[in-house]
Amino acid sequence: MYYAAEGNFNEAFKTILKTNPFPNVLGMVCDHKCQTKCTRVNYDEVLRIRDVKWFVSENNNNGYKEELPLNGIKVAVIGAGPSGLSCAYFLRLAGVEVTVYESKSISGGMASEAIPRFRLKEKALQKDIDRIKNLGVHIHYNAKIDHQSYGFIKNEYHYIYIAVGAQKIKKLNIPGDNAEGIIDPIEFLSSLKRNAPLSLGENVAVVGGGNTAVDVARAVLRVLKDRNKVTMVYRRTLNDMPAEKEEIEALLEEGIKVIELSQPVMVLTDNNKVKGMKCVKMQLSGKDSSGRGRVVPVPDSEHILYFDCIIPALGQETNIDFLTDDELKTVTHDKITPAKLFIGGDAYRGASTIVQAVADGKEAALKVIDAINYKKETISNKVPEISYEKLLEKRAIRQFSALPKPNANQNEADAPELPYSEKQIMAEASRCLLCHQLCNICVTVCPNKANYCYITEPLSFTLSKIRMADNKPVIEKDKTFCVKQKYQIINISDFCNECGNCRTFCPTADAPYTHKPKFYLTPESFRNAPEGFYFTKTPEKKALVYKKEDKFFTLSMINGQYVFENDQIKASFSQNNFSLMKVELLSPFEGYLLLDKAAEMLLLFKAAENLY
Ligand code: SF4
Ligand code: SF4
């Protein structure tokens, strides 16, 4: 957002590519859950993040154009959909040799087969796929994996990622569901994209309420060009439809009729040809385990709906027939199995979103990258720092989005065109509050001013650790203590009544009032607290005290040195770089004594100095 606001779209695109291998596709069809979490909503309205990224990606074809060197690790990816290619992309950036096995003759999985052209430009998908292939990812097409070829893959590669998608369509499972006129939704969408001949009849029912059902209904409308000839039939209510909100809105705007709370129980046929559905009415009855309204049939509510074509879009299932039963039982997305096998995307979750599939692929790649100890610099990014005043100013000015809403195309073959100018995108991106530098939502939403933001200079120094040898403390080098985030939060417990407001608004789903360091302002409140910090300041001495479970830790500034003390040691640190200068043993201990607490207290000592 920073670079887009500056009009530096090249740099913005490079930044997107560090974490997103499908910027062109996701710029158009991501369900943008991030926008539901955008903190700008607390000031006016959320940022149109996806639209900014769409513009940036559409106007940029830079990126990786050369093959990268190899590091000797080989990974096989089964499936060239968004999840498989995402995994391949991140692995290839880390120097891994990646070979993708795809059963079809094209890449892109559901993105190429099932997302209609009026939502996703084919060129956009091709750009993303080409970029991944240009890195040196090899794709074998028409390579359906069976037990034999899987055996070869197991021997040939260090790791295997399964991303075969969920291709098996769920059937209606009611009498008559094999009749002529029942159409597979993915086959329908795919035929449409290939311009293959279609026979839909005059009056089409789409059964279901997910993204595919909505895509199918909108595509049927574009084929039949009559909103009265397509009807969605859904067993729950519109509110409980799992499809993306934006897509449901588009569906309704286009005038497609939705029959809610209606459950097909039989396909009616004439000479084995569909002529309608017998349905029962449903009614709400409490909530189900997912929080959606539970529906139960209304007694004696059977009714007939007449259609000559039914497209059941009820979801898809996974069908992985090349794994053994044992492998199927143990393979998971969460960790790599001992057989160096893992799974993700729709193959793991059932039909989900493209961004989820891409995220799974990335996570899978990061697991391998971790396992092979590859440095992850390629995936991090650094944006120039903005001054505190500027960050506050951004939050002080109410500025609603001025981006127009894109119009849906009425023709199936028409790809969506970017409706934004460079100026509009720069204005939208400049609304970004740059929360990675300063969030502070918990500070602003606290009615009692109990959360306090302090500024610290980034810190990085090597910690020491202490062990006992011959009853004497021996100092050894420990890990690096590093604080990158400049703006930190403490909680002033005397002011906090634990209302939980900061938990409600926290964009990262944290609970600042319980997890941030708790400070007490009076000796009495500190004495009564089970855990927390207390700072004292006299002309001679400043000291920060921490207590937990009746154990006390103190960090004082005495004669230009930090002195850390608990019931085991007294240690002096240099004021400049916090290097350990002297240790005095107060009571013996076993193993290592770590000084992380001393380092954490140093950070808070500096904060408290400015607070009091
Ligand atoms: S950084 Fe903050 S304001 Fe910007 S898009 Fe993310 S959540 Fe929204
Ligand atoms: S829980 Fe405490 S810190 Fe959080 S908003 Fe309420 S009073 Fe403020």
Side-chain angles (χ1 to χ4, degrees):
M1 290 302 153
Y2 170 83
Y3 290 121
E6 300 276 300
N8 188 348
F9 298 116
N10 273 345
E11 212 49 49
F13 189 59
K14 278 197 223 157
T15 306
I16 294 171
L17 281 182
K18 291 193 190 253
T19 53
N20 177 2
F22 280 91
N24 291 81
V25 170
L26 292 175
M28 300 183 86
V29 298
C30 178
D31 64 339
H32 55 66
K33 290 249 165 39
C34 59
Q35 289 183 203
T36 64
K37 291 278 175 191
C38 174
T39 56
R40 181 100 218 174
V41 76
N42 297 309
Y43 302 88
D44 34 53
E45 65 179 321
V46 298
L47 213 82
R48 298 263 292 274
I49 303 168
R50 185 183 73 186
D51 291 322
V52 173
K53 290 187 174 180
W54 179 16
F55 181 93
V56 169
S57 310
E58 181 102 359
N59 286 293
N60 214 310
N61 200 18
N62 288 333
Y64 306 100
K65 289 196 173 138
E66 285 161 20
E67 291 201 12
L68 301 172
L70 300 170
N71 63 14
I73 302 291
K74 288 166 72 178
V75 175
V77 173
I78 305 180
S83 193
L85 290 184
S86 167
C87 181
Y89 171 86
F90 288 106
L91 286 175
R92 197 63 199 85
L93 285 180
V96 172
E97 182 180 341
V98 189
T99 308
V100 183
Y101 294 89
E102 168 57 49
S103 63
K104 304 223 165 65
S105 57
I106 48 166
S107 315
M110 293 298 276
S112 66
E113 272 195 88
I115 300 189
R117 278 180 291 212
F118 60 86
R119 285 186 61 210
L120 175 65
K121 272 187 193 169
E122 280 174 41
K123 250 188 356 201
L125 175 62
Q126 204 49 53
K127 262 166 111 175
D128 286 344
I129 292 172
D130 287 347
R131 193 181 310 107
I132 295 168
K133 289 204 306 205
N134 287 343
L135 284 172
V137 169
H138 303 293
I139 306 179
H140 293 300
Y141 292 105
N142 301 310
K144 171 122 181 64
I145 302 302
D146 55 20
H147 285 300
Q148 197 185 354
S149 47
Y150 182 64
F152 161 79
I153 286 173
K154 274 207 289 196
N155 289 332
E156 194 66 14
Y157 296 92
H158 296 99
Y159 298 91
I160 303 169
Y161 179 55
I162 297 176
V164 292
Q167 304 285 352
K168 201 170 142 200
I169 296 299
K170 281 190 190 160
K171 295 183 74 174
L172 280 167
N173 266 332
I174 54 175
D177 68 355
N178 276 326
E180 198 182 316
I182 304 271
I183 294 183
D184 176 320
I186 304 300
E187 255 176 54
F188 162 70
L189 290 169
S190 164
S191 304
L192 203 56
K193 288 193 92 168
R194 286 183 280 111
N195 297 320
L198 292 163
S199 168
L200 285 177
E202 283 289 303
N203 199 0
V204 179
V206 180
V207 183
N211 286 323
T212 305
V214 173
D215 277 348
V216 168
R218 296 181 68 200
V220 170
L221 170 66
R222 282 158 177 79
V223 174
L224 298 181
K225 301 197 186 313
D226 184 345
R227 70 181 60 153
N228 297 314
K229 291 183 175 173
V230 52
T231 306
M232 277 187 81
V233 178
Y234 184 51
R235 62 193 291 265
R236 298 173 188 264
T237 63
L238 265 173
N239 276 345
D240 285 330
M241 268 193 179
E244 290 160 33
K245 194 167 162 268
E246 222 169 59
E247 297 307 312
I248 298 172
E249 281 167 10
L251 172 100
L252 297 175
E253 267 169 34
E254 287 166 10
I256 293 171
K257 185 172 160 195
V258 180
I259 301 180
E260 303 171 85
L261 294 168
S262 186
Q263 165 91 54
V265 290
M266 179 189 275
V267 176
L268 304 175
T269 57
D270 185 7
N271 270 338
N272 198 36
K273 280 179 113 177
V274 169
K275 69 169 190 182
M277 290 190 295
K278 187 190 279 181
C279 298
V280 290
K281 286 197 173 135
M282 307 296 279
Q283 61 188 352
L284 291 169
S285 167
K287 300 262 179 208
D288 67 12
S289 56
S290 68
R292 292 191 298 174
R294 196 163 66 89
V295 287
V296 293
V298 176
D300 302 324
S301 64
E302 285 186 353
H303 55 285
I304 308 288
L305 300 171
Y306 290 99
F307 303 102
D308 44 24
C309 172
I310 299 169
I311 308 182
L314 301 166
Q316 290 120 257
E317 292 166 339
T318 308
N319 182 18
I320 305 173
D321 52 10
F322 53 84
L323 292 184
T324 62
D325 288 348
D326 276 353
E327 283 169 328
L328 266 177
K329 262 185 237 150
T330 51
V331 67
T332 168
H333 177 64
D334 303 329
K335 57 180 192 302
I336 305 174
T337 65
K340 307 281 171 75
L341 177 68
F342 49 137
I343 190 167
D346 289 1
Y348 176 65
R349 301 172 190 280
S352 183
T353 57
I354 295 198
V355 71
Q356 182 64 63
V358 170
D360 278 359
K362 179 179 166 189
E363 270 178 32
L366 293 182
K367 284 188 186 100
V368 172
I369 290 169
D370 255 353
I372 63 174
N373 284 326
Y374 179 79
K375 299 192 269 62
K376 285 180 224 155
E377 278 88 323
T378 45
I379 297 174
S380 67
N381 187 48
K382 197 159 171 38
V383 166
E385 201 174 286
I386 312 294
S387 73
Y388 187 54
E389 290 70 27
K390 184 81 193 154
L391 290 168
L392 290 184
E393 190 187 311
K394 274 178 163 291
R395 286 155 175 79
I397 301 167
R398 184 164 283 175
Q399 195 190 350
F400 289 88
S401 173
L403 281 188
K405 206 173 162 218
N407 287 326
N409 296 319
Q410 288 311 309
N411 292 317
E412 195 284 323
D414 288 347
E417 290 305 328
L418 259 177
Y420 318 119
S421 69
E422 196 172 305
K423 224 167 132 193
Q424 283 172 320
I425 288 296
M426 286 169 69
E428 181 64 13
S430 71
R431 295 176 62 238
C432 176
L433 301 170
L434 304 169
C435 308
H436 67 289
Q437 287 188 18
L438 176 73
C439 173
N440 260 15
I441 290 293
C442 60
V443 175
T444 50
V445 299
C446 176
N448 302 323
K449 297 202 182 309
N451 289 323
Y452 172 80
C453 171
Y454 67 95
I455 302 175
T456 170
E457 285 311 315
L459 279 178
S460 179
F461 51 78
T462 306
L463 277 174
S464 300
K465 57 185 176 183
I466 303 163
R467 70 178 166 84
M468 296 288 292
D470 298 331
N471 276 333
K472 285 198 186 122
V474 177
I475 299 171
E476 289 181 13
K477 223 165 131 180
D478 194 8
K479 57 191 164 289
T480 303
F481 179 82
C482 181
V483 177
K484 291 186 186 152
Q485 187 73 33
K486 194 169 176 183
Y487 305 104
Q488 301 280 344
I489 304 289
I490 55 173
N491 176 268
I492 315 276
S493 282
D494 304 66
F495 299 163
C496 174
N497 61 0
E498 305 199 339
C499 69
N501 221 24
C502 51
R503 180 204 287 263
T504 306
F505 283 90
C506 179
T508 57
D510 202 354
Y513 73 106
T514 57
H515 293 152
K516 294 295 175 190
K518 293 172 94 62
F519 270 68
Y520 294 87
L521 299 182
T522 67
E524 196 190 352
S525 61
F526 183 57
R527 202 177 311 118
N528 294 331
E531 188 252 335
F533 294 88
Y534 179 67
F535 187 71
T536 55
K537 190 174 174 182
T538 63
E540 298 76 39
K541 183 179 161 187
K542 294 175 191 168
L544 178 67
V545 187
Y546 173 67
K547 84 163 182 186
K548 187 175 185 186
E549 290 157 7
D550 291 329
K551 283 194 184 309
F552 286 84
F553 305 76
T554 308
L555 185 74
S556 319
M557 170 57 79
I558 304 170
N559 299 329
Q561 286 182 359
Y562 287 109
V563 178
F564 176 74
E565 195 171 346
N566 63 11
D567 56 1
Q568 292 171 313
I569 55 154
K570 185 171 178 183
S572 307
F573 297 86
S574 106
Q575 191 180 356
N576 295 335
N577 57 7
F578 210 63
S579 61
L580 183 55
M581 298 164 66
K582 194 173 133 200
V583 179
E584 199 182 310
L585 194 66
L586 303 180
S587 66
F589 58 88
E590 286 180 0
Y592 278 101
L593 198 143
L594 304 179
L595 293 170
D596 302 48
K597 193 80 217 167
E600 183 202 341
M601 288 181 75
L602 169 71
L603 188 73
L604 294 170
F605 187 100
K606 292 182 174 195
E609 264 186 312
N610 298 326
L611 179 63
Y612 290 79

